[in-house]
Amino acid sequence: MQFDTPDSAYTRSARAHANFRLAIRIAVAFVALLWLIQLSNWALDLGPGNLGVRPRELAGLPGILVAPLIHGGFEHLLANTPPVLVLGTTMLYLYPQSIPKVLPAVYLGPGIAVWLSGGQGSIHIGASGIVYGLASYILVAGIIRRDRRAIAAALLVCFMYGALIWGVFPIQRGVSWETHLAAAIIGVLLAIALRRLDIPPRARYSWEDEREGDEEVGSETTFRDRQ
């Protein structure tokens, strides 16, 4: 597969740098919120289970909204922090037109899917659904757009997050594979549906302009010959 090179006049512009800094600040602010919530739960000795998604239980419905913000402990949150930072920054920077549709879907969609189809008696919490949703969207969108920046970011998260792909299978006890799988599917479907958004301008080379010029001259000559 041939990957396109984004136009440097676009990627190195003052506006692009400002957008990148804004993306970092928003991603850091969201992670700071996750840590503030975790610290508050720890200080108040609150158990996270009551706020999780509990499949097909009315009491578990609020978890669809709040479960991505709740973690089982500092180790759980620490594992999610780097991927959320990288993926959040990448998504905000590379796909600003798509994120109003993608973020609500990967935030709420996995919780809805798990509440409807998850195993009863289980409790699902954590931002890993956001991680899987954004990672799958960024990777597939990067492949569709042939954008090496997005693919590199997604692969970096796979490296940081460990064996990311295995998280969608029921092979590790205590891991919400249903959330991961639902989020990954949502991310892939959205990447396909929104493939026409956020396409970066491609760098053009002098030989391309020359070839187009030759084609225009050839077309004009053919038209005159027909006259």
Side-chain angles (χ1 to χ4, degrees), residues 102-222:
V102 174
L103 189 56
V106 301
Y107 185 93
L108 298 173
I112 295 173
V114 168
W115 190 87
L116 292 172
S117 61
Q120 283 191 294
S122 59
I123 301 175
H124 304 260
I125 57 173
S128 56
I130 297 175
V131 171
Y132 274 79
L134 292 184
S136 61
Y137 180 90
I138 290 171
L139 178 60
V140 175
I143 293 173
I144 292 174
R145 293 169 176 78
R146 297 184 296 182
D147 189 347
R148 66 186 69 188
R149 301 171 300 167
I151 295 173
L155 293 178
L156 175 61
V157 167
C158 290
F159 174 77
M160 290 191 304
Y161 212 65
L164 194 70
I165 185 63
W166 301 115
V168 301
F169 299 108
I171 58 178
Q172 186 175 351
R173 187 179 179 85
V175 173
S176 179
W177 66 272
E178 300 101 319
T179 300
H180 300 167
L181 180 59
I185 293 173
I186 290 170
V188 170
L189 294 178
L190 286 172
I192 296 172
L194 304 176
R195 62 189 179 278
R196 301 189 186 279
L197 295 181
D198 299 304
I199 300 176
R202 185 175 64 88
R204 293 184 60 85
Y205 302 97
S206 57
W207 60 267
E208 292 180 295
D209 296 329
E210 292 174 0
R211 185 175 66 181
E212 288 184 2
D214 293 339
E215 290 175 354
E216 290 177 1
V217 171
S219 299
E220 183 178 353
T221 302
T222 302

Side-chain angles (χ1 to χ4, degrees), residues 28 47 55 61 93 127:
V28 169
L61 279 173
Y93 177 57

Side-chain angles (χ1 to χ4, degrees), residues 48-66:
N50 294 331
L51 300 176
V53 177
R54 285 182 277 175
R56 293 178 298 285
E57 294 184 21
L58 291 179
L61 279 173
I64 294 173
L65 183 61
V66 299

